[in-house]
């Protein structure tokens, strides 16, 4: 019975990190059509963070945190959620959700470059192949006429890539930083801190704050899904999988999320799928596969997922 229960939980958890995380691009795209981007992140992460802390308290997890851990949590929250997510959602005003997901899938490439620059780690053969394919895929993606002829879209792509860089540096930072030992509690602190920072930024830039009753049905549903499922459920599933299956299998979400995002954007938002985008997707994701399949990659894979919460 325990074996069957574990198998069911593993299947359900893979569904969560594949479909739920892949759908967060669509949900953010729907929300940003009505709500301001910083406010979306502020409301989402504060709500999810408070819920996580309540769950942690109810399950008797220690919420103690040192001054150094609090500072590191603040830095991580800024890199992952304030800049990495807040600016990313802003860019979705100009970039299709599926297109944005493909750009986000280049994160392992950025992490490799940063590890090379910061730690001086040499790239293995498969990583070099992956980087080359990733660059070719990115070129095919952003060189399309629809992209080069739109000034706003070029700006959106540039800002998304800067967000990917922020996530990537955050991944390297977190792998070395002193944070609360419990990953669930650590994420809760990061979310609450990031949510408060986003509320402050939203106020400073003059964003409009709307109460949930003013959002409309689609946006309300999107925000509930982002808070409960995109944040708490999928993240919990991710941590469960890391303890029960190999990191290599968990990392396959890097290939599935963009495909889910592309299909959902095409179906629900009528986003266009050009032949060049499809080819670019195949080349880009093949590059990500080569990067993630290199030897001794487990630690990198584990630390390149927090931006999905």
């Amino acid at each position: 019975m325990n074996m069957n229960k574990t198998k069911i939980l593993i299947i359900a958890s893979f569904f969560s990190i594949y479909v739920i995380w892949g759908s967060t691009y669509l949900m953010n795209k729907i929300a940003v059509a009505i709500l301001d981007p910083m406010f979306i992140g502020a409301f989402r992460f504060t709500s999810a963070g408070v819920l996580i802390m309540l769950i942690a308290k109810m399950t008797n997890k220690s919420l103690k945190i040192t001054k150094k851990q609090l500072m590191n949590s603040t830095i991580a929250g800024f890199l992952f959620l304030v800049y990495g997510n807040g600016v990313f959602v802003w860019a979705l005003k100009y970039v299709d959700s599926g297109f944005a997901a493909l750009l986000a899938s280049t994160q392992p490439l950025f992490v490799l470059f940063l590890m090379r620059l910061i730690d001086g780690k040499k790239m293995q053969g498969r990583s070099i192949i992956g980087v080359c394919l990733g660059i070719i895929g990115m070129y095919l993606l952003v060189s399309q006429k629809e992209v080069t002829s739109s000034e706003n879209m070029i700006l959106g792509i540039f800002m998304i890539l800067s967000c990917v860089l922020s996530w990537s540096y955050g991944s390297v930072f977190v792998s070395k930083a002193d944070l609360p030992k419990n990953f669930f509690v650590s994420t809760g602190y990061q979310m609450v801190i990031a949510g408060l920072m986003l509320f402050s930024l939203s106020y400073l830039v003059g964003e409009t704050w709307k109460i949930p009753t003013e959002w409309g049905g689609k946006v309300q549903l999107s925000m509930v899904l982002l808070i409960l499922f995109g944040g708490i459920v999928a993240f919990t599933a991710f941590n469960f999988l890391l303890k029960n299956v190999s990191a290599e299998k968990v990392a396959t979400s890097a290939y599935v999320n963009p495909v889910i995002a592309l299909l959902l954007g095409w179906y629900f938002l009528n986003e266009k799928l050009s032949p060049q985008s499809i080819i670019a997707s195949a080349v880009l994701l093949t590059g990500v596969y080569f990067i993630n399949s290199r030897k001794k990659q487990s630690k990198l894979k584990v630390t390149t997922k927090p931006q999905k919460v």
Side-chain angles (χ1 to χ4, degrees), residues 227-264:
I227 293 168
L228 297 181
F229 292 94
I232 299 172
V233 173
F235 182 77
T236 302
F238 171 67
N239 279 286
F240 170 78
L241 287 173
L242 288 176
K243 294 181 180 180
N244 289 275
V245 301
S246 67
E248 287 79 4
K249 290 181 179 179
V250 181
T252 55
S253 63
Y255 325 128
V256 180
N257 289 164
V259 176
I260 296 294
L262 279 169
L263 293 174
L264 290 177

mmCIF file of all heavy atoms in Angstrom, residues 227-264:
data_model
loop_
_atom_site.group_PDB
_atom_site.id
_atom_site.type_symbol
_atom_site.label_atom_id
_atom_site.label_comp_id
_atom_site.label_asym_id
_atom_site.label_seq_id
_atom_site.Cartn_x
_atom_site.Cartn_y
_atom_site.Cartn_z
ATOM 1 N N ILE A 227 -1.175 31.624 -6.585
ATOM 2 C CA ILE A 227 -0.841 31.594 -5.162
ATOM 3 C C ILE A 227 -0.838 30.173 -4.607
ATOM 4 O O ILE A 227 0.148 29.718 -4.011
ATOM 5 C CB ILE A 227 -1.825 32.469 -4.361
ATOM 6 C CG1 ILE A 227 -1.633 33.953 -4.714
ATOM 7 C CG2 ILE A 227 -1.624 32.274 -2.853
ATOM 8 C CD1 ILE A 227 -2.738 34.855 -4.200
ATOM 9 N N LEU A 228 -1.946 29.473 -4.812
ATOM 10 C CA LEU A 228 -2.105 28.147 -4.200
ATOM 11 C C LEU A 228 -1.365 27.048 -4.954
ATOM 12 O O LEU A 228 -0.672 26.231 -4.348
ATOM 13 C CB LEU A 228 -3.590 27.792 -4.097
ATOM 14 C CG LEU A 228 -4.444 28.690 -3.199
ATOM 15 C CD1 LEU A 228 -5.890 28.207 -3.188
ATOM 16 C CD2 LEU A 228 -3.893 28.729 -1.780
ATOM 17 N N PHE A 229 -1.518 27.040 -6.260
ATOM 18 C CA PHE A 229 -0.955 25.943 -7.039
ATOM 19 C C PHE A 229 0.440 26.257 -7.576
ATOM 20 O O PHE A 229 1.380 25.476 -7.405
ATOM 21 C CB PHE A 229 -1.901 25.573 -8.185
ATOM 22 C CG PHE A 229 -3.184 24.963 -7.710
ATOM 23 C CD1 PHE A 229 -4.303 25.740 -7.504
ATOM 24 C CD2 PHE A 229 -3.257 23.605 -7.445
ATOM 25 C CE1 PHE A 229 -5.489 25.186 -7.046
ATOM 26 C CE2 PHE A 229 -4.435 23.032 -6.983
ATOM 27 C CZ PHE A 229 -5.563 23.829 -6.787
ATOM 28 N N GLY A 230 0.601 27.410 -8.236
ATOM 29 C CA GLY A 230 1.913 27.768 -8.777
ATOM 30 C C GLY A 230 2.955 27.956 -7.695
ATOM 31 O O GLY A 230 4.137 27.679 -7.905
ATOM 32 N N GLY A 231 2.513 28.411 -6.513
ATOM 33 C CA GLY A 231 3.453 28.629 -5.431
ATOM 34 C C GLY A 231 3.570 27.455 -4.487
ATOM 35 O O GLY A 231 4.590 26.776 -4.435
ATOM 36 N N ILE A 232 2.483 27.160 -3.754
ATOM 37 C CA ILE A 232 2.560 26.191 -2.658
ATOM 38 C C ILE A 232 2.542 24.748 -3.152
ATOM 39 O O ILE A 232 3.425 23.953 -2.804
ATOM 40 C CB ILE A 232 1.404 26.439 -1.668
ATOM 41 C CG1 ILE A 232 1.528 27.856 -1.070
ATOM 42 C CG2 ILE A 232 1.421 25.396 -0.555
ATOM 43 C CD1 ILE A 232 0.353 28.279 -0.235
ATOM 44 N N VAL A 233 1.555 24.372 -3.969
ATOM 45 C CA VAL A 233 1.412 22.970 -4.387
ATOM 46 C C VAL A 233 2.592 22.507 -5.238
ATOM 47 O O VAL A 233 3.218 21.486 -4.959
ATOM 48 C CB VAL A 233 0.091 22.767 -5.162
ATOM 49 C CG1 VAL A 233 0.024 21.352 -5.737
ATOM 50 C CG2 VAL A 233 -1.103 23.016 -4.241
ATOM 51 N N ALA A 234 2.905 23.268 -6.295
ATOM 52 C CA ALA A 234 3.976 22.856 -7.214
ATOM 53 C C ALA A 234 5.333 22.852 -6.513
ATOM 54 O O ALA A 234 6.159 21.966 -6.751
ATOM 55 C CB ALA A 234 4.011 23.765 -8.437
ATOM 56 N N PHE A 235 5.555 23.834 -5.641
ATOM 57 C CA PHE A 235 6.839 23.879 -4.956
ATOM 58 C C PHE A 235 6.995 22.704 -3.988
ATOM 59 O O PHE A 235 8.059 22.103 -3.876
ATOM 60 C CB PHE A 235 6.998 25.201 -4.208
ATOM 61 C CG PHE A 235 8.318 25.327 -3.511
ATOM 62 C CD1 PHE A 235 9.457 25.627 -4.228
ATOM 63 C CD2 PHE A 235 8.430 25.108 -2.145
ATOM 64 C CE1 PHE A 235 10.694 25.717 -3.592
ATOM 65 C CE2 PHE A 235 9.648 25.200 -1.504
ATOM 66 C CZ PHE A 235 10.782 25.510 -2.240
ATOM 67 N N THR A 236 5.906 22.376 -3.281
ATOM 68 C CA THR A 236 5.930 21.223 -2.376
ATOM 69 C C THR A 236 6.165 19.933 -3.163
ATOM 70 O O THR A 236 6.922 19.052 -2.746
ATOM 71 C CB THR A 236 4.607 21.124 -1.588
ATOM 72 O OG1 THR A 236 4.399 22.339 -0.862
ATOM 73 C CG2 THR A 236 4.646 19.961 -0.613
ATOM 74 N N ALA A 237 5.515 19.828 -4.315
ATOM 75 C CA ALA A 237 5.690 18.654 -5.178
ATOM 76 C C ALA A 237 7.137 18.546 -5.644
ATOM 77 O O ALA A 237 7.707 17.449 -5.705
ATOM 78 C CB ALA A 237 4.760 18.751 -6.383
ATOM 79 N N PHE A 238 7.740 19.686 -5.961
ATOM 80 C CA PHE A 238 9.130 19.723 -6.408
ATOM 81 C C PHE A 238 10.059 19.170 -5.333
ATOM 82 O O PHE A 238 10.924 18.330 -5.603
ATOM 83 C CB PHE A 238 9.498 21.168 -6.756
ATOM 84 C CG PHE A 238 10.951 21.400 -7.028
ATOM 85 C CD1 PHE A 238 11.571 20.845 -8.137
ATOM 86 C CD2 PHE A 238 11.703 22.203 -6.186
ATOM 87 C CE1 PHE A 238 12.914 21.072 -8.400
ATOM 88 C CE2 PHE A 238 13.043 22.434 -6.428
ATOM 89 C CZ PHE A 238 13.648 21.872 -7.536
ATOM 90 N N ASN A 239 9.851 19.606 -4.091
ATOM 91 C CA ASN A 239 10.688 19.137 -2.983
ATOM 92 C C ASN A 239 10.453 17.653 -2.700
ATOM 93 O O ASN A 239 11.387 16.922 -2.375
ATOM 94 C CB ASN A 239 10.411 19.959 -1.725
ATOM 95 C CG ASN A 239 11.154 21.276 -1.738
ATOM 96 O OD1 ASN A 239 12.359 21.318 -1.542
ATOM 97 N ND2 ASN A 239 10.445 22.361 -2.010
ATOM 98 N N PHE A 240 9.202 17.194 -2.835
ATOM 99 C CA PHE A 240 8.894 15.771 -2.644
ATOM 100 C C PHE A 240 9.627 14.922 -3.680
ATOM 101 O O PHE A 240 10.209 13.881 -3.366
ATOM 102 C CB PHE A 240 7.383 15.552 -2.755
ATOM 103 C CG PHE A 240 6.983 14.103 -2.802
ATOM 104 C CD1 PHE A 240 6.955 13.331 -1.651
ATOM 105 C CD2 PHE A 240 6.653 13.505 -4.012
ATOM 106 C CE1 PHE A 240 6.594 11.987 -1.699
ATOM 107 C CE2 PHE A 240 6.300 12.165 -4.066
ATOM 108 C CZ PHE A 240 6.263 11.412 -2.914
ATOM 109 N N LEU A 241 9.624 15.371 -4.936
ATOM 110 C CA LEU A 241 10.284 14.615 -6.004
ATOM 111 C C LEU A 241 11.790 14.534 -5.785
ATOM 112 O O LEU A 241 12.409 13.496 -6.056
ATOM 113 C CB LEU A 241 9.984 15.256 -7.359
ATOM 114 C CG LEU A 241 8.569 15.051 -7.901
ATOM 115 C CD1 LEU A 241 8.346 15.869 -9.154
ATOM 116 C CD2 LEU A 241 8.301 13.576 -8.173
ATOM 117 N N LEU A 242 12.379 15.615 -5.298
ATOM 118 C CA LEU A 242 13.825 15.622 -5.077
ATOM 119 C C LEU A 242 14.243 14.566 -4.055
ATOM 120 O O LEU A 242 15.383 14.091 -4.075
ATOM 121 C CB LEU A 242 14.283 17.008 -4.606
ATOM 122 C CG LEU A 242 14.275 18.115 -5.668
ATOM 123 C CD1 LEU A 242 14.657 19.440 -5.025
ATOM 124 C CD2 LEU A 242 15.219 17.800 -6.811
ATOM 125 N N LYS A 243 13.322 14.188 -3.169
ATOM 126 C CA LYS A 243 13.630 13.193 -2.147
ATOM 127 C C LYS A 243 13.285 11.773 -2.580
ATOM 128 O O LYS A 243 13.671 10.811 -1.923
ATOM 129 C CB LYS A 243 12.878 13.528 -0.852
ATOM 130 C CG LYS A 243 13.342 14.819 -0.197
ATOM 131 C CD LYS A 243 12.569 15.088 1.085
ATOM 132 C CE LYS A 243 13.027 16.373 1.748
ATOM 133 N NZ LYS A 243 12.273 16.658 2.997
ATOM 134 N N ASN A 244 12.523 11.638 -3.676
ATOM 135 C CA ASN A 244 12.033 10.317 -4.050
ATOM 136 C C ASN A 244 12.449 9.839 -5.437
ATOM 137 O O ASN A 244 12.334 8.647 -5.725
ATOM 138 C CB ASN A 244 10.499 10.291 -3.961
ATOM 139 C CG ASN A 244 10.002 10.325 -2.533
ATOM 140 O OD1 ASN A 244 9.899 9.306 -1.873
ATOM 141 N ND2 ASN A 244 9.710 11.524 -2.038
ATOM 142 N N VAL A 245 12.910 10.748 -6.308
ATOM 143 C CA VAL A 245 13.394 10.333 -7.629
ATOM 144 C C VAL A 245 14.689 11.080 -7.915
ATOM 145 O O VAL A 245 15.069 11.996 -7.189
ATOM 146 C CB VAL A 245 12.357 10.623 -8.750
ATOM 147 C CG1 VAL A 245 11.056 9.897 -8.487
ATOM 148 C CG2 VAL A 245 12.104 12.123 -8.892
ATOM 149 N N SER A 246 15.369 10.704 -8.975
ATOM 150 C CA SER A 246 16.649 11.331 -9.297
ATOM 151 C C SER A 246 16.459 12.777 -9.737
ATOM 152 O O SER A 246 15.419 13.152 -10.305
ATOM 153 C CB SER A 246 17.352 10.553 -10.409
ATOM 154 O OG SER A 246 16.641 10.670 -11.623
ATOM 155 N N ALA A 247 17.477 13.596 -9.478
ATOM 156 C CA ALA A 247 17.438 15.004 -9.874
ATOM 157 C C ALA A 247 17.330 15.152 -11.387
ATOM 158 O O ALA A 247 16.754 16.120 -11.887
ATOM 159 C CB ALA A 247 18.695 15.716 -9.373
ATOM 160 N N GLU A 248 17.903 14.173 -12.129
ATOM 161 C CA GLU A 248 17.843 14.226 -13.589
ATOM 162 C C GLU A 248 16.398 14.169 -14.076
ATOM 163 O O GLU A 248 16.017 14.878 -15.007
ATOM 164 C CB GLU A 248 18.638 13.062 -14.198
ATOM 165 C CG GLU A 248 20.141 13.203 -14.103
ATOM 166 C CD GLU A 248 20.673 12.835 -12.718
ATOM 167 O OE1 GLU A 248 19.871 12.394 -11.866
ATOM 168 O OE2 GLU A 248 21.878 12.998 -12.483
ATOM 169 N N LYS A 249 15.575 13.332 -13.425
ATOM 170 C CA LYS A 249 14.173 13.223 -13.821
ATOM 171 C C LYS A 249 13.397 14.485 -13.460
ATOM 172 O O LYS A 249 12.541 14.938 -14.220
ATOM 173 C CB LYS A 249 13.540 11.993 -13.159
ATOM 174 C CG LYS A 249 14.055 10.672 -13.708
ATOM 175 C CD LYS A 249 13.367 9.493 -13.038
ATOM 176 C CE LYS A 249 13.877 8.173 -13.614
ATOM 177 N NZ LYS A 249 13.234 6.998 -12.955
ATOM 178 N N VAL A 250 13.694 15.038 -12.293
ATOM 179 C CA VAL A 250 13.025 16.269 -11.884
ATOM 180 C C VAL A 250 13.351 17.405 -12.857
ATOM 181 O O VAL A 250 12.501 18.233 -13.185
ATOM 182 C CB VAL A 250 13.438 16.666 -10.454
ATOM 183 C CG1 VAL A 250 12.719 17.944 -10.032
ATOM 184 C CG2 VAL A 250 13.115 15.545 -9.477
ATOM 185 N N ALA A 251 14.589 17.426 -13.345
ATOM 186 C CA ALA A 251 15.042 18.488 -14.244
ATOM 187 C C ALA A 251 14.353 18.452 -15.600
ATOM 188 O O ALA A 251 14.448 19.420 -16.360
ATOM 189 C CB ALA A 251 16.557 18.394 -14.442
ATOM 190 N N THR A 252 13.636 17.367 -15.923
ATOM 191 C CA THR A 252 12.939 17.308 -17.210
ATOM 192 C C THR A 252 11.852 18.371 -17.315
ATOM 193 O O THR A 252 11.370 18.661 -18.408
ATOM 194 C CB THR A 252 12.304 15.918 -17.429
ATOM 195 O OG1 THR A 252 11.445 15.597 -16.329
ATOM 196 C CG2 THR A 252 13.381 14.848 -17.549
ATOM 197 N N SER A 253 11.463 18.971 -16.197
ATOM 198 C CA SER A 253 10.478 20.055 -16.251
ATOM 199 C C SER A 253 10.994 21.234 -17.074
ATOM 200 O O SER A 253 10.205 22.000 -17.641
ATOM 201 C CB SER A 253 10.121 20.532 -14.839
ATOM 202 O OG SER A 253 11.253 21.069 -14.182
ATOM 203 N N ALA A 254 12.322 21.377 -17.159
ATOM 204 C CA ALA A 254 12.922 22.457 -17.959
ATOM 205 C C ALA A 254 12.594 22.307 -19.435
ATOM 206 O O ALA A 254 12.585 23.287 -20.182
ATOM 207 C CB ALA A 254 14.443 22.478 -17.772
ATOM 208 N N TYR A 255 12.318 21.060 -19.874
ATOM 209 C CA TYR A 255 11.969 20.836 -21.272
ATOM 210 C C TYR A 255 10.459 20.879 -21.489
ATOM 211 O O TYR A 255 9.984 21.241 -22.567
ATOM 212 C CB TYR A 255 12.473 19.468 -21.763
ATOM 213 C CG TYR A 255 13.787 19.027 -21.178
ATOM 214 C CD1 TYR A 255 13.932 17.783 -20.586
ATOM 215 C CD2 TYR A 255 14.905 19.876 -21.192
ATOM 216 C CE1 TYR A 255 15.139 17.383 -20.027
ATOM 217 C CE2 TYR A 255 16.096 19.486 -20.630
ATOM 218 C CZ TYR A 255 16.206 18.240 -20.055
ATOM 219 O OH TYR A 255 17.387 17.852 -19.489
ATOM 220 N N VAL A 256 9.691 20.507 -20.450
ATOM 221 C CA VAL A 256 8.240 20.391 -20.605
ATOM 222 C C VAL A 256 7.530 21.722 -20.385
ATOM 223 O O VAL A 256 6.567 22.044 -21.095
ATOM 224 C CB VAL A 256 7.686 19.331 -19.634
ATOM 225 C CG1 VAL A 256 6.167 19.192 -19.789
ATOM 226 C CG2 VAL A 256 8.361 17.987 -19.877
ATOM 227 N N ASN A 257 7.991 22.533 -19.411
ATOM 228 C CA ASN A 257 7.323 23.796 -19.098
ATOM 229 C C ASN A 257 7.122 24.710 -20.313
ATOM 230 O O ASN A 257 6.007 25.216 -20.527
ATOM 231 C CB ASN A 257 8.096 24.560 -18.008
ATOM 232 C CG ASN A 257 7.995 23.913 -16.639
ATOM 233 O OD1 ASN A 257 8.770 24.225 -15.745
ATOM 234 N ND2 ASN A 257 7.061 23.000 -16.456
ATOM 235 N N PRO A 258 8.163 24.946 -21.132
ATOM 236 C CA PRO A 258 7.961 25.816 -22.301
ATOM 237 C C PRO A 258 6.952 25.254 -23.294
ATOM 238 O O PRO A 258 6.203 26.023 -23.912
ATOM 239 C CB PRO A 258 9.364 25.894 -22.927
ATOM 240 C CG PRO A 258 10.295 25.576 -21.817
ATOM 241 C CD PRO A 258 9.578 24.562 -20.988
ATOM 242 N N VAL A 259 6.934 23.935 -23.460
ATOM 243 C CA VAL A 259 5.976 23.312 -24.384
ATOM 244 C C VAL A 259 4.554 23.526 -23.885
ATOM 245 O O VAL A 259 3.653 23.897 -24.653
ATOM 246 C CB VAL A 259 6.271 21.804 -24.540
ATOM 247 C CG1 VAL A 259 5.216 21.150 -25.425
ATOM 248 C CG2 VAL A 259 7.660 21.585 -25.112
ATOM 249 N N ILE A 260 4.344 23.317 -22.573
ATOM 250 C CA ILE A 260 3.027 23.546 -21.970
ATOM 251 C C ILE A 260 2.621 25.010 -22.133
ATOM 252 O O ILE A 260 1.483 25.331 -22.506
ATOM 253 C CB ILE A 260 3.039 23.177 -20.472
ATOM 254 C CG1 ILE A 260 3.293 21.681 -20.276
ATOM 255 C CG2 ILE A 260 1.734 23.580 -19.799
ATOM 256 C CD1 ILE A 260 2.206 20.781 -20.792
ATOM 257 N N ALA A 261 3.565 25.923 -21.882
ATOM 258 C CA ALA A 261 3.282 27.358 -21.988
ATOM 259 C C ALA A 261 2.927 27.743 -23.422
ATOM 260 O O ALA A 261 2.002 28.534 -23.651
ATOM 261 C CB ALA A 261 4.496 28.163 -21.510
ATOM 262 N N LEU A 262 3.653 27.199 -24.388
ATOM 263 C CA LEU A 262 3.369 27.485 -25.798
ATOM 264 C C LEU A 262 1.971 27.011 -26.185
ATOM 265 O O LEU A 262 1.213 27.749 -26.826
ATOM 266 C CB LEU A 262 4.411 26.805 -26.688
ATOM 267 C CG LEU A 262 5.761 27.503 -26.851
ATOM 268 C CD1 LEU A 262 6.750 26.577 -27.537
ATOM 269 C CD2 LEU A 262 5.609 28.788 -27.657
ATOM 270 N N LEU A 263 1.623 25.787 -25.795
ATOM 271 C CA LEU A 263 0.321 25.214 -26.150
ATOM 272 C C LEU A 263 -0.828 25.972 -25.472
ATOM 273 O O LEU A 263 -1.855 26.259 -26.110
ATOM 274 C CB LEU A 263 0.273 23.736 -25.774
ATOM 275 C CG LEU A 263 1.194 22.809 -26.576
ATOM 276 C CD1 LEU A 263 1.158 21.392 -26.013
ATOM 277 C CD2 LEU A 263 0.794 22.801 -28.054
ATOM 278 N N LEU A 264 -0.652 26.305 -24.191
ATOM 279 C CA LEU A 264 -1.701 27.038 -23.479
ATOM 280 C C LEU A 264 -1.883 28.445 -24.044
ATOM 281 O O LEU A 264 -3.014 28.929 -24.185
ATOM 282 C CB LEU A 264 -1.366 27.108 -21.984
ATOM 283 C CG LEU A 264 -1.452 25.790 -21.205
ATOM 284 C CD1 LEU A 264 -1.010 25.997 -19.757
ATOM 285 C CD2 LEU A 264 -2.868 25.219 -21.234
#
